[in-house]
Amino acid sequence: MAEVYTNLKKTVLTLIEEKSFQRLRDILITMPPADIAALFSELSEKSLPLVFRLLPKDLAAETFVEMDSDLQHHLIQGFSDAELQAVVNELYVDDAAALIEEMPANVVKRILRQADPETRRQINEILKYPEDSAGSIMTTEFVSLRAHMTVADAIKRIRQLGVDSETINACYVTDDGRRLIGVVSIRTLILANENDRIEKIMNRYVVSVRTTEDQETVAKMFAKYDLTVLPVVDGEGRLVGIVTVDDAIDVLQEETTEDFEKMAAITPTDRPYLKTSVLEIWKSRIPWLLVLMISATFTGLIISHFEDALKTYVLLTAYIPMLMDTGGNSGSQASVTVIRGLSLNELEFRDLFRIVWKEFQVAILAGATLAAINFVKLMFFDQVTLLVAFVICLTLFLTVCVAKLTGCIFPMLAQKAGFDPVVMASPFITTIVDALSLLIYFRIATMILGI
């Protein structure tokens, strides 16, 4: 695929240089919108508006949605009012709302000014919902049916409204008060007798979400129930919109990226790495680095406190990095496993004691294995005394145990306290375990070696 894309890119660039726009258009209309958007990201700012204007109206709108916000902004600045109006009115409402959230205020005013009154009303309706909620990612363009309709009436309505709807695979049934009462698939409608009533063939059990539900929870429901579309209702059970599977995938990708950034002690950002300035990257990283640097001073205080002991047994200093790194790695393994379980709703706070017991057993096995192998190394390769080897191996064993328990408990406590458990991942766990491993090391050395 990479080779095909490279050859295609060369062909497009050649056609642009030769001004063979009809041949270029013939190629573009055969490509998926996502691939066209990726190709456009490789074009110069001068060529982009010219090539974009070659696309048919519907394909142009679909491609525009797939482009990143910087390219969208660049195109909008070059659009005439008529061109902007054509693109905006071809967008689905949720895509138009997402576009507005990414644009500067002056561009937003221009977009809304070019949208037709009904589209503008629907966009404003979506924008009033909390950020990262089901209401903020739903679309209001869907087909609803009534229970008293016949199959023939329903199909006629779908033909009338379906062209402007994001999907018709599932059509939701509402009562006179717009309350959600059922769902019927397009497959069921086509295979049913045209005189059957919708109430006879619809499924009355409908999985739905409230407008205020968190978008990550919404996205996970798609995987849990094998859905392609999910209805969104208000506090009174009235159908106000739908979320489609493509939006759910975008949410999962966004949330996963955010979790990775938090686990690496980076403030999350929506911009791609290569599109992010050095100053923005610095701003996202430095607060966490400052916090971790200050917290890491505790390890320095511990070492300073036992400075006399280290002077007596200088050899002990050589094994501090190994003990701290092993403890940090052990804690990270436990924390990442628990955090992932929490994010997938596989674990709850009530499972805390079961988790602790399981991690404790794992810690015993892992700690004993590492201590035994390390003991052999210390005695036969490093040739330290028996007591020193015993101190190091006992510390290693206890450090692994403490690290794994810390790694599994802290994310659970963080979630219970209302914090994102992801922030208790690698950096914080490592800092905490480093301090604990040093305390254990020096206490054991003091007791056994008498220093």
Side-chain angles (χ1 to χ4, degrees):
M1 286 298 294
E3 185 178 350
V4 171
Y5 179 80
T6 301
N7 291 335
L8 181 62
K9 176 185 171 182
K10 290 179 180 178
T11 301
V12 168
L13 293 175
T14 301
L15 292 175
I16 292 174
E17 290 178 3
E18 296 174 353
K19 297 183 179 180
S20 301
F21 297 123
Q22 184 57 51
R23 288 177 59 195
L24 179 57
R25 184 180 187 276
D26 292 341
I27 292 175
L28 293 175
I29 61 177
T30 65
M31 297 171 59
D35 289 345
I36 299 176
L39 189 61
F40 281 1
S41 67
E42 305 283 346
L43 301 182
S44 67
E45 290 188 355
K46 181 180 178 181
S47 301
L48 178 60
L50 180 65
V51 179
F52 185 83
R53 289 184 173 95
L54 297 176
L55 301 177
K57 186 169 62 174
D58 55 345
L59 181 58
E62 292 174 4
T63 302
F64 188 79
V65 171
E66 300 292 340
M67 299 168 72
D68 66 51
S69 58
D70 288 341
L71 291 181
Q72 290 174 338
H73 190 190
H74 175 68
L75 282 175
I76 290 173
Q77 288 180 317
F79 283 162
S80 66
D81 287 347
E83 288 174 324
L84 181 58
Q85 184 178 42
V87 171
V88 172
N89 289 336
E90 282 294 319
L91 297 177
Y92 291 116
V93 174
D94 59 332
D95 293 327
L99 169 65
I100 285 174
E101 288 182 326
E102 295 286 338
M103 293 294 115
N106 61 323
V107 177
V108 169
K109 291 179 181 177
R110 188 172 174 225
I111 292 173
L112 290 176
R113 192 164 58 244
Q114 298 306 319
D116 62 65
E118 179 59 20
T119 299
R120 189 160 54 245
R121 184 194 67 77
Q122 292 178 337
I123 290 173
N124 289 328
E125 183 74 15
I126 290 177
L127 292 176
K128 78 178 184 181
Y129 292 107
E131 186 180 3
D132 297 336
S133 66
S136 70
I137 61 171
M138 73 180 184
T139 179
T140 55
E141 295 166 311
F142 58 90
V143 177
S144 63
L145 306 174
R146 295 296 175 83
H148 59 76
M149 285 181 173
T150 63
V151 169
D153 293 334
I155 292 177
K156 183 178 179 181
R157 178 175 172 80
I158 293 170
R159 285 174 177 160
Q160 291 173 339
L161 303 177
V163 66
D164 295 320
S165 300
E166 189 152 346
T167 181
I168 57 172
N169 290 338
C171 297
Y172 294 98
V173 186
T174 59
D175 61 15
D176 294 337
R178 292 194 296 114
R179 285 183 291 272
L180 181 63
I181 60 174
V183 62
V184 60
S185 68
I186 194 72
R187 171 188 170 88
T188 302
L189 285 171
I190 291 174
L191 296 178
N193 188 297
E194 64 179 13
N195 295 319
D196 287 343
R197 293 193 178 276
I198 297 299
E199 61 186 354
K200 178 182 176 183
I201 63 173
M202 72 179 185
N203 183 357
R204 295 182 181 275
Y205 177 74
V206 188
V207 177
S208 63
V209 292
R210 294 285 183 91
T211 53
T212 54
E213 189 68 70
D214 184 79
Q215 64 174 12
E216 188 173 7
T217 302
V218 174
K220 289 174 182 176
M221 292 179 70
F222 278 82
K224 181 178 181 180
Y225 296 104
D226 293 326
L227 301 173
T228 57
V229 61
L230 183 64
V232 183
V233 298
D234 62 15
E236 298 179 6
R238 292 176 298 197
L239 182 63
V240 294
I242 60 172
V243 177
T244 50
V245 67
D246 58 319
D247 293 320
I249 292 172
D250 290 341
V251 168
L252 288 176
Q253 180 176 334
E254 175 188 324
E255 295 289 344
T256 301
T257 301
E258 183 178 303
D259 285 348
F260 275 119
E261 289 174 329
K262 286 181 179 179
M263 291 172 72
I266 300 173
T267 303
T269 177
D270 295 330
R271 294 173 62 81
Y273 177 76
L274 293 178
K275 299 285 186 179
T276 308
S277 69
V278 172
L279 188 60
E280 288 174 320
I281 294 174
W282 171 78
K283 287 180 179 178
S284 70
R285 295 181 183 180
I286 197 63
W288 292 94
L289 290 175
L290 286 171
V291 171
L292 293 172
M293 181 187 70
I294 294 170
S295 62
T297 57
F298 289 112
T299 60
L301 292 174
I302 294 170
I303 292 175
S304 297
H305 181 73
F306 290 96
E307 187 176 359
D308 292 337
L310 288 174
K311 288 179 180 178
T312 306
Y313 274 86
V314 179
L315 182 63
L316 295 178
T317 308
Y319 297 98
I320 290 177
M322 182 271 292
L323 293 170
M324 293 173 65
D325 289 347
T326 303
N329 293 335
S330 299
S332 295
Q333 287 180 335
S335 65
V336 170
T337 302
V338 171
I339 289 168
R340 186 58 179 164
L342 290 171
S343 67
L344 296 175
N345 295 322
E346 296 174 349
L347 302 176
E348 297 179 12
F349 188 76
R350 64 184 180 184
D351 299 317
L352 179 60
F353 290 108
R354 293 173 59 193
I355 295 168
V356 169
W357 173 237
K358 178 166 286 189
E359 286 297 330
F360 178 71
Q361 295 177 81
V362 173
I364 294 292
L365 293 173
T369 302
L370 293 173
I373 294 173
N374 199 44
F375 184 81
V376 174
K377 172 184 173 294
L378 290 168
M379 294 300 296
F380 294 98
F381 293 93
D382 296 350
Q383 296 182 349
V384 301
T385 64
L386 181 62
L387 284 180
V388 171
F390 182 70
V391 167
I392 295 170
C393 293
L394 180 58
T395 301
L396 181 61
F397 174 79
L398 293 177
T399 296
V400 171
C401 292
V402 170
K404 288 198 174 293
L405 294 179
T406 302
C408 70
I409 292 173
F410 272 65
M412 302 290 289
L413 294 178
Q415 187 184 60
K416 184 65 175 179
F419 298 107
D420 189 340
V422 174
V423 301
M424 297 305 301
S426 298
F428 280 111
I429 294 294
T430 300
T431 302
I432 294 168
V433 170
D434 284 350
L436 293 176
S437 62
L438 285 176
L439 285 173
I440 294 170
Y441 190 29
F442 291 124
R443 289 298 179 191
I444 292 176
T446 300
M447 288 187 297
I448 296 177
L449 300 176
I451 57 177

